């Protein structure tokens, strides 16, 4: 099991940047594929970005491609989501997720492929 704690959310204006962090702990956290999802009120949970165990492979949701970047520092057991050119439609609670049974190269795109979740951090983009 992997414990996850997100941080870095906040209230920003359109066009601003934020960097979210997800600190992972637990015996298997360093072997986990990681992902970011978001959920806005009244909307379904949406895949934002995923990264494989060693950070070599990534994938993104269509709505954030070219604006968001996922990365990880395994020495710090932390995954980051750099969010640039933020839009009002990016407003949501952002959750990180972990799959500690992942094969090395795998990037997972759906919520049911993850076993552990953080509580989330609110991102609000004001126009």
């Amino acid at each position: 099991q992997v414990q996850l704690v997100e941080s870095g959310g906040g209230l920003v204006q359109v066009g601003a940047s934020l960097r979210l962090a997800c600190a992972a702990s637990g015996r298997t956290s360093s072997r986990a594929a990681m992902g970011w999802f978001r959920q806005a009120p009244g909307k379904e949970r949406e895949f934002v970005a995923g990264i494989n165990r060693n950070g070599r492979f990534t994938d993104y949701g269509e709505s954030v491609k070219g604006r968001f970047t996922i990365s990880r520092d395994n020495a710090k057991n932390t995954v980051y989501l750099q969010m640039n050119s933020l839009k009002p439609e990016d407003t949501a609670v952002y959750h990180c997720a972990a799959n500690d049974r992942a094969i090395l190269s795998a990037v997972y795109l759906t919520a049911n492929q993850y076993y552990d979740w953080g509580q989330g951090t609110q991102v609000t983009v004001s126009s």
Side-chain angles (χ1 to χ4, degrees):
Q1 188 175 9
V2 180
Q3 292 78 45
L4 304 168
V5 179
E6 301 96 335
S7 61
L11 172 63
V12 297
Q13 293 191 333
V14 170
S17 297
L18 275 177
R19 189 176 79 155
L20 306 184
C22 174
S25 60
R27 189 168 58 89
T28 57
S29 60
S30 63
R31 299 201 300 271
M34 302 292 292
W36 285 97
F37 290 76
R38 66 187 183 187
Q39 189 162 20
K43 295 188 177 180
E44 293 187 355
R45 183 165 44 189
E46 176 187 10
F47 170 74
V48 176
I51 190 166
N52 79 312
R53 284 166 46 185
N54 63 7
R56 182 176 178 185
F57 301 109
T58 60
D59 206 345
Y60 297 90
E62 286 298 324
S63 62
V64 307
K65 280 184 179 178
R67 299 189 297 124
F68 290 11
T69 302
I70 188 171
S71 62
R72 67 190 297 162
D73 183 341
N74 282 349
K76 296 181 178 180
N77 283 339
T78 301
V79 175
Y80 303 97
L81 184 69
Q82 178 66 44
M83 305 186 296
N84 298 329
S85 302
L86 284 162
K87 305 175 181 180
E89 50 264 43
D90 295 318
T91 295
V93 177
Y94 285 70
H95 297 268
C96 68
N99 178 332
D100 61 351
R101 305 167 209 180
I103 61 174
L104 179 60
S105 61
V107 179
Y108 300 107
L109 309 186
T110 61
N112 61 8
Q113 294 176 300
Y114 291 91
Y115 300 108
D116 298 295
W117 292 80
Q119 291 298 309
T121 185
Q122 176 71 46
V123 172
T124 302
V125 184
S126 172
S127 56

